[in-house]
Amino acid sequence: MNANKILVVGAGLMGRGIVHAFAVRGHPVTLFDVSREAIDATLADIRTVTGEAVKIGKLTEEAAARTLDLITPGTDLVESARGADLVVETASERLSVKIDIIQAIDPVLAGDAIITTNTSALSITEIAAASANPARVAGMHFFNPVHKMKLVEIVRGIATADSVVERLKAWSDAIGKTSIVVNEAPGFTTSRMSAMLGNEAMHMLESGVATAEDIDTALRLGLGHPMGPLELGDMTGWDTRLAVLQYLHQSLGEKFRPCPLITKMVKSGRTGRKVGHGVYRYENGVKIPGSGLRSA
Ligand SMILES: NC(=O)c1ccc[n+]([C@@H]2O[C@H](COP(=O)([O-])OP(=O)(O)OC[C@H]3O[C@@H](n4cnc5c(N)ncnc54)[C@H](O)[C@@H]3O)[C@@H](O)[C@H]2O)c1
C-alpha cells in the first residue's frame, strides 16, 4: 500500500493510538482536534512511546524519528482534510460531533477518499448520511490500547460500498491488524458485549456483591479475561462507556439501561484512568492497590 495521507480527527485516548499505528508503518498523518492541548499531549505521548520502543530495541532511532516526522498537527479541520485519502474520525462519542465533522470535510475530500468513524456503537448509516456520498463511509473500530489490540471491526452502513470495505481490509492489513466485517447493529459485536459486562459489574459493585478488586479478580482468574470489567471500564473511560450504554439502551432496550453508579461517577468527574480516578485511583497511570471504589 502506498504512503497515502491519513487524517485523524480527535486526539484523545484512541486518536493517539491510531495516529501512532499509521505513522509507525510509514503513512503521513495529520492530526486535528478542537483542543490544541490534546494534540500536544498526543504528540508528547507518541514521542515517549517511540522513545521507549527504541530503548528496548523494538524500533531503530531512525524509524522513531521518521514516525514523529510523519505526524503533522492540524490547525484547521477543513484545511487538514485536503488531499487526505483516508479519514479516521475518533472524536467524542456524540452523534452531533461526528455529523458536524463529516459535513465540514466531505466537500473538500477527493471523490475516492474514504471516511471512517471509530464510534464504539453509533449508527454508521446515520453518520454516513452527513456525507454527500454515503457509499464512502464505514466504521473502522479500533481497540484500546491500539498498539496491543489486533482487531479492527469494519462496520458497513446501509450504503457502504463493497470496494470501501475491501480497501479498509487492505488498510487494516497494512497496519498489522486483523479485521472482521460487521453489518451495522448497535454496538457492533464488541461494544455490545463489553458494555453489558461492564454495566453488570457496576450493578454488582453498587449492590455490594463483592469489592471492585474481587469482581475484577473473578473475571480474570475464574473466566480467563485478560482484565476485569471494572479495570476495563477505567481504561475505556466511563464517559465513553456511559454514552455507549445510553445509545444501546435507546436502541436495544431495557437490558442496557446504564447502572446509576456509572452516571454518578461521570457526574463527579471520575471518568477513569485518563483522569487518574475511576473505579480505582491511579498514580502515573498505575493502579493504586486497594483503591477500588466501595459500594455506598
Ligand atoms: N476509549 C475507548 O476504549 C474506545 C475504544 C474504541 C472506540 N472508541 C471511540 O473512539 C472515539 C474517541 O474516544 P476516546 O476514548 O479517544 O475519547 P476522548 O474523550 O479521550 O477524546 C475525544 C477527543 O475528541 C476531541 N473532540 C471533541 N469534539 C471534537 C471536534 N468537533 N473536532 C475534533 N475533535 C473533537 C476532544 O477534544 C478529545 O480530545 C469515540 O467515538 C469512542 O466511542 C473509544
Side-chain angles (χ1 to χ4, degrees):
M1 175 145 306
N2 295 328
N4 292 332
K5 188 186 151 193
I6 321 291
L7 168 65
V8 175
V9 184
L13 209 56
M14 294 304 290
R16 66 188 56 176
I18 294 169
V19 168
H20 177 261
F22 282 103
V24 83
R25 297 284 179 140
H27 298 283
V29 186
T30 302
L31 172 63
F32 176 79
D33 195 293
V34 283
S35 156
R36 180 65 217 203
E37 293 78 49
I39 295 179
D40 290 343
T42 290
L43 296 177
D45 188 70
I46 295 177
R47 211 167 290 122
T48 306
V49 167
T50 49
E52 277 163 10
V54 171
K55 269 190 214 150
I56 60 169
K58 278 186 88 177
L59 211 59
T60 62
E61 281 195 22
E62 296 71 44
R66 196 174 55 240
T67 300
L68 296 171
D69 278 351
L70 284 170
I71 305 169
T72 309
T75 49
D76 177 89
L77 174 62
V78 175
E79 289 312 311
S80 301
R82 287 187 202 281
D85 300 290
L86 174 68
V87 177
V88 183
E89 174 284 308
T90 184
S92 310
E93 184 74 343
R94 282 199 306 280
L95 187 61
S96 59
V97 168
K98 295 176 186 300
I99 287 176
D100 287 351
I101 290 168
I102 293 179
Q103 279 175 344
I105 61 175
D106 195 54
V108 302
L109 289 170
D112 62 350
I114 296 179
I115 303 176
T116 68
T117 168
N118 185 36
T119 177
S120 301
L122 299 173
S123 161
I124 305 304
T125 299
E126 215 171 337
I127 294 171
S131 165
N133 176 14
R136 65 152 119 193
V137 183
M140 192 175 194
H141 187 208
F142 289 85
F143 296 85
N144 183 24
V146 178
H147 67 284
K148 280 204 186 141
M149 307 306 276
K150 292 285 286 178
L151 184 69
V152 169
E153 264 180 320
I154 299 170
V155 189
R156 283 174 181 279
I158 196 167
T160 308
D162 290 346
S163 58
V164 166
V165 171
E166 290 309 313
R167 283 168 65 199
L168 289 176
K169 284 186 194 168
W171 270 115
S172 304
D173 290 347
I175 55 170
K177 302 291 181 201
T178 300
S179 59
I180 61 164
V181 179
V182 184
N183 289 319
E184 175 168 311
F188 322 132
T189 56
T190 50
S191 302
R192 181 164 165 177
M193 297 275 200
S194 176
M196 173 63 88
L197 196 65
N199 204 37
E200 203 52 35
M202 285 299 250
H203 277 302
M204 287 167 67
L205 180 63
E206 189 183 51
S207 58
V209 171
T211 62
E213 285 82 356
D214 283 353
I215 292 169
D216 280 337
T217 302
L219 274 275
R220 271 192 274 103
L221 302 189
L223 301 185
H225 290 211
M227 68 196 301
L230 302 172
E231 293 164 333
L232 181 59
D234 271 6
M235 191 170 82
T236 300
W238 290 102
D239 48 346
T240 298
R241 183 46 70 77
L242 179 61
V244 169
L245 277 166
Q246 285 167 335
Y247 180 72
L248 294 177
H249 179 222
Q250 177 200 319
S251 47
L252 294 176
E254 204 45 34
K255 64 184 175 180
F256 287 98
R257 179 183 288 281
C259 171
L261 183 55
I262 300 179
T263 310
K264 262 192 230 169
M265 285 191 30
V266 172
K267 281 189 175 155
S268 70
R270 292 177 71 142
T271 53
R273 193 190 283 190
K274 60 186 170 185
V275 295
H277 197 187
V279 169
Y280 300 97
R281 288 184 181 276
Y282 298 82
E283 213 166 70
N284 301 322
V286 178
K287 187 169 99 180
I288 301 173
S291 63
L293 179 69
R294 303 285 154 219
S295 57

PDB file of all heavy atoms in Angstrom, residues 9-15 32-35 38 90-93 97-98 101 118-120 141-142 144 236 240 274, ligand 1:
ATOM      1  N   VAL A   9      -9.108  12.660  13.161  1.00  0.00           N
ATOM      2  CA  VAL A   9      -9.808  13.769  13.829  1.00  0.00           C
ATOM      3  C   VAL A   9     -10.162  13.312  15.242  1.00  0.00           C
ATOM      4  O   VAL A   9     -10.966  12.397  15.423  1.00  0.00           O
ATOM      5  CB  VAL A   9     -11.089  14.171  13.071  1.00  0.00           C
ATOM      6  CG1 VAL A   9     -11.728  15.382  13.751  1.00  0.00           C
ATOM      7  CG2 VAL A   9     -10.791  14.468  11.616  1.00  0.00           C
ATOM      8  N   GLY A  10      -9.523  13.947  16.235  1.00  0.00           N
ATOM      9  CA  GLY A  10      -9.733  13.550  17.633  1.00  0.00           C
ATOM     10  C   GLY A  10      -8.421  13.048  18.201  1.00  0.00           C
ATOM     11  O   GLY A  10      -7.893  12.029  17.756  1.00  0.00           O
ATOM     12  N   ALA A  11      -7.863  13.800  19.153  1.00  0.00           N
ATOM     13  CA  ALA A  11      -6.557  13.449  19.721  1.00  0.00           C
ATOM     14  C   ALA A  11      -6.722  12.980  21.164  1.00  0.00           C
ATOM     15  O   ALA A  11      -5.948  13.346  22.039  1.00  0.00           O
ATOM     16  CB  ALA A  11      -5.616  14.643  19.646  1.00  0.00           C
ATOM     17  N   GLY A  12      -7.749  12.180  21.410  1.00  0.00           N
ATOM     18  CA  GLY A  12      -7.953  11.654  22.761  1.00  0.00           C
ATOM     19  C   GLY A  12      -7.239  10.332  22.928  1.00  0.00           C
ATOM     20  O   GLY A  12      -6.246  10.038  22.246  1.00  0.00           O
ATOM     21  N   LEU A  13      -7.775   9.544  23.849  1.00  0.00           N
ATOM     22  CA  LEU A  13      -7.226   8.220  24.159  1.00  0.00           C
ATOM     23  C   LEU A  13      -6.995   7.391  22.897  1.00  0.00           C
ATOM     24  O   LEU A  13      -5.933   6.812  22.690  1.00  0.00           O
ATOM     25  CB  LEU A  13      -8.281   7.530  25.031  1.00  0.00           C
ATOM     26  CG  LEU A  13      -7.876   6.510  26.040  1.00  0.00           C
ATOM     27  CD1 LEU A  13      -6.865   7.082  27.000  1.00  0.00           C
ATOM     28  CD2 LEU A  13      -9.134   6.066  26.806  1.00  0.00           C
ATOM     29  N   MET A  14      -8.003   7.335  22.030  1.00  0.00           N
ATOM     30  CA  MET A  14      -7.924   6.492  20.837  1.00  0.00           C
ATOM     31  C   MET A  14      -7.128   7.150  19.722  1.00  0.00           C
ATOM     32  O   MET A  14      -6.368   6.490  19.018  1.00  0.00           O
ATOM     33  CB  MET A  14      -9.335   6.157  20.340  1.00  0.00           C
ATOM     34  CG  MET A  14     -10.121   5.304  21.289  1.00  0.00           C
ATOM     35  SD  MET A  14      -9.289   3.754  21.699  1.00  0.00           S
ATOM     36  CE  MET A  14      -9.417   2.876  20.152  1.00  0.00           C
ATOM     37  N   GLY A  15      -7.323   8.460  19.570  1.00  0.00           N
ATOM     38  CA  GLY A  15      -6.638   9.170  18.491  1.00  0.00           C
ATOM     39  C   GLY A  15      -5.130   8.945  18.559  1.00  0.00           C
ATOM     40  O   GLY A  15      -4.484   8.678  17.549  1.00  0.00           O
ATOM     41  N   PHE A  32      -5.999  16.335  13.822  1.00  0.00           N
ATOM     42  CA  PHE A  32      -6.741  17.536  14.201  1.00  0.00           C
ATOM     43  C   PHE A  32      -7.600  17.264  15.434  1.00  0.00           C
ATOM     44  O   PHE A  32      -8.177  16.186  15.585  1.00  0.00           O
ATOM     45  CB  PHE A  32      -7.661  18.018  13.056  1.00  0.00           C
ATOM     46  CG  PHE A  32      -8.486  19.198  13.474  1.00  0.00           C
ATOM     47  CD1 PHE A  32      -7.931  20.475  13.508  1.00  0.00           C
ATOM     48  CD2 PHE A  32      -9.793  19.029  13.923  1.00  0.00           C
ATOM     49  CE1 PHE A  32      -8.669  21.563  13.964  1.00  0.00           C
ATOM     50  CE2 PHE A  32     -10.541  20.110  14.372  1.00  0.00           C
ATOM     51  CZ  PHE A  32      -9.974  21.377  14.393  1.00  0.00           C
ATOM     52  N   ASP A  33      -7.649  18.255  16.303  1.00  0.00           N
ATOM     53  CA  ASP A  33      -8.552  18.205  17.463  1.00  0.00           C
ATOM     54  C   ASP A  33      -8.962  19.651  17.758  1.00  0.00           C
ATOM     55  O   ASP A  33      -8.199  20.583  17.482  1.00  0.00           O
ATOM     56  CB  ASP A  33      -7.819  17.609  18.683  1.00  0.00           C
ATOM     57  CG  ASP A  33      -8.775  17.193  19.802  1.00  0.00           C
ATOM     58  OD1 ASP A  33      -9.412  18.088  20.423  1.00  0.00           O
ATOM     59  OD2 ASP A  33      -8.883  15.991  20.073  1.00  0.00           O
ATOM     60  N   VAL A  34     -10.142  19.836  18.315  1.00  0.00           N
ATOM     61  CA  VAL A  34     -10.544  21.201  18.691  1.00  0.00           C
ATOM     62  C   VAL A  34      -9.684  21.710  19.839  1.00  0.00           C
ATOM     63  O   VAL A  34      -9.613  22.913  20.076  1.00  0.00           O
ATOM     64  CB  VAL A  34     -12.044  21.288  19.092  1.00  0.00           C
ATOM     65  CG1 VAL A  34     -12.930  21.265  17.866  1.00  0.00           C
ATOM     66  CG2 VAL A  34     -12.428  20.184  20.070  1.00  0.00           C
ATOM     67  N   SER A  35      -9.055  20.801  20.543  1.00  0.00           N
ATOM     68  CA  SER A  35      -8.203  21.196  21.670  1.00  0.00           C
ATOM     69  C   SER A  35      -6.731  21.082  21.282  1.00  0.00           C
ATOM     70  O   SER A  35      -6.236  19.982  21.006  1.00  0.00           O
ATOM     71  CB  SER A  35      -8.502  20.280  22.873  1.00  0.00           C
ATOM     72  OG  SER A  35      -7.418  20.234  23.747  1.00  0.00           O
ATOM     73  N   ALA A  38      -4.862  18.840  23.573  1.00  0.00           N
ATOM     74  CA  ALA A  38      -4.998  17.396  23.303  1.00  0.00           C
ATOM     75  C   ALA A  38      -4.012  16.970  22.223  1.00  0.00           C
ATOM     76  O   ALA A  38      -3.374  15.916  22.323  1.00  0.00           O
ATOM     77  CB  ALA A  38      -6.433  17.072  22.879  1.00  0.00           C
ATOM     78  N   THR A  90     -12.292  10.086  15.190  1.00  0.00           N
ATOM     79  CA  THR A  90     -12.286   9.453  16.510  1.00  0.00           C
ATOM     80  C   THR A  90     -12.434  10.521  17.597  1.00  0.00           C
ATOM     81  O   THR A  90     -11.731  10.538  18.594  1.00  0.00           O
ATOM     82  CB  THR A  90     -11.045   8.529  16.696  1.00  0.00           C
ATOM     83  OG1 THR A  90     -11.144   7.880  17.955  1.00  0.00           O
ATOM     84  CG2 THR A  90      -9.722   9.274  16.560  1.00  0.00           C
ATOM     85  N   ALA A  91     -13.383  11.431  17.333  1.00  0.00           N
ATOM     86  CA  ALA A  91     -13.707  12.478  18.314  1.00  0.00           C
ATOM     87  C   ALA A  91     -14.715  11.917  19.318  1.00  0.00           C
ATOM     88  O   ALA A  91     -15.105  10.739  19.232  1.00  0.00           O
ATOM     89  CB  ALA A  91     -14.259  13.701  17.591  1.00  0.00           C
ATOM     90  N   SER A  92     -15.133  12.758  20.246  1.00  0.00           N
ATOM     91  CA  SER A  92     -16.022  12.319  21.343  1.00  0.00           C
ATOM     92  C   SER A  92     -17.253  11.581  20.809  1.00  0.00           C
ATOM     93  O   SER A  92     -17.746  11.880  19.722  1.00  0.00           O
ATOM     94  CB  SER A  92     -16.468  13.541  22.147  1.00  0.00           C
ATOM     95  OG  SER A  92     -15.339  14.314  22.476  1.00  0.00           O
ATOM     96  N   GLU A  93     -17.723  10.640  21.641  1.00  0.00           N
ATOM     97  CA  GLU A  93     -18.817   9.750  21.222  1.00  0.00           C
ATOM     98  C   GLU A  93     -20.183  10.454  21.272  1.00  0.00           C
ATOM     99  O   GLU A  93     -21.033  10.127  22.100  1.00  0.00           O
ATOM    100  CB  GLU A  93     -18.791   8.487  22.109  1.00  0.00           C
ATOM    101  CG  GLU A  93     -19.799   7.404  21.761  1.00  0.00           C
ATOM    102  CD  GLU A  93     -19.460   6.607  20.502  1.00  0.00           C
ATOM    103  OE1 GLU A  93     -18.638   7.038  19.694  1.00  0.00           O
ATOM    104  OE2 GLU A  93     -20.057   5.531  20.348  1.00  0.00           O
ATOM    105  N   VAL A  97     -21.413  15.573  17.060  1.00  0.00           N
ATOM    106  CA  VAL A  97     -19.990  15.896  16.828  1.00  0.00           C
ATOM    107  C   VAL A  97     -19.526  15.226  15.537  1.00  0.00           C
ATOM    108  O   VAL A  97     -18.894  15.837  14.667  1.00  0.00           O
ATOM    109  CB  VAL A  97     -19.129  15.422  18.034  1.00  0.00           C
ATOM    110  CG1 VAL A  97     -17.646  15.465  17.711  1.00  0.00           C
ATOM    111  CG2 VAL A  97     -19.430  16.257  19.269  1.00  0.00           C
ATOM    112  N   LYS A  98     -19.880  13.957  15.392  1.00  0.00           N
ATOM    113  CA  LYS A  98     -19.420  13.181  14.233  1.00  0.00           C
ATOM    114  C   LYS A  98     -20.048  13.726  12.944  1.00  0.00           C
ATOM    115  O   LYS A  98     -19.381  13.865  11.918  1.00  0.00           O
ATOM    116  CB  LYS A  98     -19.722  11.697  14.465  1.00  0.00           C
ATOM    117  CG  LYS A  98     -18.881  11.195  15.650  1.00  0.00           C
ATOM    118  CD  LYS A  98     -19.128   9.798  16.066  1.00  0.00           C
ATOM    119  CE  LYS A  98     -18.369   9.411  17.325  1.00  0.00           C
ATOM    120  NZ  LYS A  98     -16.923   9.500  17.289  1.00  0.00           N
ATOM    121  N   ILE A 101     -18.393  17.028  11.899  1.00  0.00           N
ATOM    122  CA  ILE A 101     -17.051  16.834  11.324  1.00  0.00           C
ATOM    123  C   ILE A 101     -17.178  16.369   9.865  1.00  0.00           C
ATOM    124  O   ILE A 101     -16.535  16.905   8.958  1.00  0.00           O
ATOM    125  CB  ILE A 101     -16.242  15.814  12.168  1.00  0.00           C
ATOM    126  CG1 ILE A 101     -15.891  16.432  13.519  1.00  0.00           C
ATOM    127  CG2 ILE A 101     -14.991  15.344  11.430  1.00  0.00           C
ATOM    128  CD1 ILE A 101     -15.349  15.462  14.555  1.00  0.00           C
ATOM    129  N   ASN A 118     -14.582   5.882  14.195  1.00  0.00           N
ATOM    130  CA  ASN A 118     -14.183   4.920  15.230  1.00  0.00           C
ATOM    131  C   ASN A 118     -15.256   4.833  16.318  1.00  0.00           C
ATOM    132  O   ASN A 118     -14.969   4.427  17.444  1.00  0.00           O
ATOM    133  CB  ASN A 118     -12.832   5.361  15.809  1.00  0.00           C
ATOM    134  CG  ASN A 118     -12.252   4.382  16.823  1.00  0.00           C
ATOM    135  OD1 ASN A 118     -12.393   3.171  16.681  1.00  0.00           O
ATOM    136  ND2 ASN A 118     -11.607   4.898  17.859  1.00  0.00           N
ATOM    137  N   THR A 119     -16.477   5.253  15.989  1.00  0.00           N
ATOM    138  CA  THR A 119     -17.530   5.181  17.007  1.00  0.00           C
ATOM    139  C   THR A 119     -17.597   3.779  17.621  1.00  0.00           C
ATOM    140  O   THR A 119     -17.404   2.787  16.926  1.00  0.00           O
ATOM    141  CB  THR A 119     -18.916   5.547  16.425  1.00  0.00           C
ATOM    142  OG1 THR A 119     -19.884   5.384  17.454  1.00  0.00           O
ATOM    143  CG2 THR A 119     -19.306   4.685  15.241  1.00  0.00           C
ATOM    144  N   SER A 120     -17.900   3.740  18.913  1.00  0.00           N
ATOM    145  CA  SER A 120     -17.999   2.444  19.597  1.00  0.00           C
ATOM    146  C   SER A 120     -19.347   1.791  19.362  1.00  0.00           C
ATOM    147  O   SER A 120     -19.492   0.590  19.574  1.00  0.00           O
ATOM    148  CB  SER A 120     -17.824   2.625  21.104  1.00  0.00           C
ATOM    149  OG  SER A 120     -16.587   3.198  21.397  1.00  0.00           O
ATOM    150  N   HIS A 141     -13.391   0.433  13.604  1.00  0.00           N
ATOM    151  CA  HIS A 141     -13.430   0.432  15.070  1.00  0.00           C
ATOM    152  C   HIS A 141     -12.167  -0.219  15.629  1.00  0.00           C
ATOM    153  O   HIS A 141     -11.956  -1.427  15.478  1.00  0.00           O
ATOM    154  CB  HIS A 141     -14.698  -0.327  15.532  1.00  0.00           C
ATOM    155  CG  HIS A 141     -14.947  -0.266  16.999  1.00  0.00           C
ATOM    156  ND1 HIS A 141     -15.610  -1.251  17.687  1.00  0.00           N
ATOM    157  CD2 HIS A 141     -14.625   0.675  17.918  1.00  0.00           C
ATOM    158  CE1 HIS A 141     -15.684  -0.920  18.961  1.00  0.00           C
ATOM    159  NE2 HIS A 141     -15.085   0.239  19.127  1.00  0.00           N
ATOM    160  N   PHE A 142     -11.351   0.632  16.254  1.00  0.00           N
ATOM    161  CA  PHE A 142     -10.096   0.185  16.865  1.00  0.00           C
ATOM    162  C   PHE A 142     -10.334  -0.099  18.348  1.00  0.00           C
ATOM    163  O   PHE A 142     -11.349   0.311  18.917  1.00  0.00           O
ATOM    164  CB  PHE A 142      -9.031   1.287  16.753  1.00  0.00           C
ATOM    165  CG  PHE A 142      -8.529   1.512  15.364  1.00  0.00           C
ATOM    166  CD1 PHE A 142      -9.203   2.343  14.475  1.00  0.00           C
ATOM    167  CD2 PHE A 142      -7.363   0.895  14.931  1.00  0.00           C
ATOM    168  CE1 PHE A 142      -8.722   2.565  13.198  1.00  0.00           C
ATOM    169  CE2 PHE A 142      -6.869   1.118  13.653  1.00  0.00           C
ATOM    170  CZ  PHE A 142      -7.559   1.953  12.773  1.00  0.00           C
ATOM    171  N   ASN A 144      -8.577  -0.342  22.440  1.00  0.00           N
ATOM    172  CA  ASN A 144      -7.665   0.335  23.352  1.00  0.00           C
ATOM    173  C   ASN A 144      -6.930  -0.688  24.231  1.00  0.00           C
ATOM    174  O   ASN A 144      -7.595  -1.531  24.827  1.00  0.00           O
ATOM    175  CB  ASN A 144      -8.534   1.266  24.234  1.00  0.00           C
ATOM    176  CG  ASN A 144      -7.725   2.102  25.185  1.00  0.00           C
ATOM    177  OD1 ASN A 144      -6.555   2.359  24.962  1.00  0.00           O
ATOM    178  ND2 ASN A 144      -8.356   2.526  26.266  1.00  0.00           N
ATOM    179  N   THR A 236     -11.272   2.342  29.360  1.00  0.00           N
ATOM    180  CA  THR A 236     -12.094   2.884  28.268  1.00  0.00           C
ATOM    181  C   THR A 236     -12.494   4.325  28.556  1.00  0.00           C
ATOM    182  O   THR A 236     -12.541   5.169  27.653  1.00  0.00           O
ATOM    183  CB  THR A 236     -13.382   2.035  28.118  1.00  0.00           C
ATOM    184  OG1 THR A 236     -12.996   0.702  27.831  1.00  0.00           O
ATOM    185  CG2 THR A 236     -14.290   2.549  27.026  1.00  0.00           C
ATOM    186  N   THR A 240     -17.216   7.644  28.026  1.00  0.00           N
ATOM    187  CA  THR A 240     -17.446   6.956  26.754  1.00  0.00           C
ATOM    188  C   THR A 240     -18.362   5.756  26.978  1.00  0.00           C
ATOM    189  O   THR A 240     -19.312   5.517  26.226  1.00  0.00           O
ATOM    190  CB  THR A 240     -16.095   6.506  26.149  1.00  0.00           C
ATOM    191  OG1 THR A 240     -15.315   7.675  25.892  1.00  0.00           O
ATOM    192  CG2 THR A 240     -16.277   5.741  24.861  1.00  0.00           C
ATOM    193  N   LYS A 274      -7.716   7.944  32.549  1.00  0.00           N
ATOM    194  CA  LYS A 274      -7.226   9.153  31.861  1.00  0.00           C
ATOM    195  C   LYS A 274      -7.204  10.374  32.774  1.00  0.00           C
ATOM    196  O   LYS A 274      -6.455  11.316  32.533  1.00  0.00           O
ATOM    197  CB  LYS A 274      -8.026   9.437  30.588  1.00  0.00           C
ATOM    198  CG  LYS A 274      -9.518   9.674  30.775  1.00  0.00           C
ATOM    199  CD  LYS A 274     -10.236   9.792  29.414  1.00  0.00           C
ATOM    200  CE  LYS A 274     -11.750   9.778  29.570  1.00  0.00           C
ATOM    201  NZ  LYS A 274     -12.458   9.762  28.285  1.00  0.00           N
TER     202      LYS A 274
HETATM  203  N1  LIG B   1     -11.987   4.715  24.848  1.00  0.00           N
HETATM  204  C1  LIG B   1     -12.048   3.530  24.239  1.00  0.00           C
HETATM  205  O1  LIG B   1     -11.636   2.490  24.786  1.00  0.00           O
HETATM  206  C2  LIG B   1     -12.611   3.448  22.850  1.00  0.00           C
HETATM  207  C3  LIG B   1     -12.437   2.260  22.120  1.00  0.00           C
HETATM  208  C4  LIG B   1     -12.906   2.202  20.804  1.00  0.00           C
HETATM  209  C5  LIG B   1     -13.551   3.296  20.239  1.00  0.00           C
HETATM  210  N2  LIG B   1     -13.721   4.430  21.000  1.00  0.00           N
HETATM  211  C6  LIG B   1     -14.389   5.561  20.353  1.00  0.00           C
HETATM  212  O2  LIG B   1     -13.383   6.452  19.907  1.00  0.00           O
HETATM  213  C7  LIG B   1     -13.883   7.802  19.947  1.00  0.00           C
HETATM  214  C8  LIG B   1     -12.977   8.653  20.818  1.00  0.00           C
HETATM  215  O3  LIG B   1     -12.921   8.086  22.112  1.00  0.00           O
HETATM  216  P1  LIG B   1     -11.759   8.468  23.136  1.00  0.00           P
HETATM  217  O4  LIG B   1     -11.806   7.445  24.206  1.00  0.00           O
HETATM  218  O5  LIG B   1     -10.496   8.724  22.389  1.00  0.00           O
HETATM  219  O6  LIG B   1     -12.349   9.860  23.696  1.00  0.00           O
HETATM  220  P2  LIG B   1     -11.573  11.051  24.455  1.00  0.00           P
HETATM  221  O7  LIG B   1     -12.586  11.722  25.272  1.00  0.00           O
HETATM  222  O8  LIG B   1     -10.311  10.548  25.072  1.00  0.00           O
HETATM  223  O9  LIG B   1     -11.131  12.009  23.224  1.00  0.00           O
HETATM  224  C9  LIG B   1     -12.047  12.652  22.390  1.00  0.00           C
HETATM  225  C10 LIG B   1     -11.326  13.801  21.705  1.00  0.00           C
HETATM  226  O10 LIG B   1     -12.225  14.365  20.731  1.00  0.00           O
HETATM  227  C11 LIG B   1     -11.990  15.761  20.708  1.00  0.00           C
HETATM  228  N3  LIG B   1     -13.110  16.426  20.063  1.00  0.00           N
HETATM  229  C12 LIG B   1     -14.343  16.683  20.549  1.00  0.00           C
HETATM  230  N4  LIG B   1     -15.080  17.325  19.625  1.00  0.00           N
HETATM  231  C13 LIG B   1     -14.297  17.471  18.523  1.00  0.00           C
HETATM  232  C14 LIG B   1     -14.483  18.050  17.236  1.00  0.00           C
HETATM  233  N5  LIG B   1     -15.633  18.614  16.886  1.00  0.00           N
HETATM  234  N6  LIG B   1     -13.454  18.022  16.347  1.00  0.00           N
HETATM  235  C15 LIG B   1     -12.270  17.459  16.706  1.00  0.00           C
HETATM  236  N7  LIG B   1     -12.032  16.901  17.904  1.00  0.00           N
HETATM  237  C16 LIG B   1     -13.033  16.899  18.801  1.00  0.00           C
HETATM  238  C17 LIG B   1     -11.806  16.135  22.182  1.00  0.00           C
HETATM  239  O11 LIG B   1     -11.149  17.383  22.315  1.00  0.00           O
HETATM  240  C18 LIG B   1     -10.957  14.954  22.673  1.00  0.00           C
HETATM  241  O12 LIG B   1      -9.576  15.228  22.574  1.00  0.00           O
HETATM  242  C19 LIG B   1     -15.317   7.717  20.474  1.00  0.00           C
HETATM  243  O13 LIG B   1     -16.196   7.650  19.373  1.00  0.00           O
HETATM  244  C20 LIG B   1     -15.303   6.398  21.237  1.00  0.00           C
HETATM  245  O14 LIG B   1     -16.565   5.821  21.364  1.00  0.00           O
HETATM  246  C21 LIG B   1     -13.254   4.547  22.278  1.00  0.00           C
END
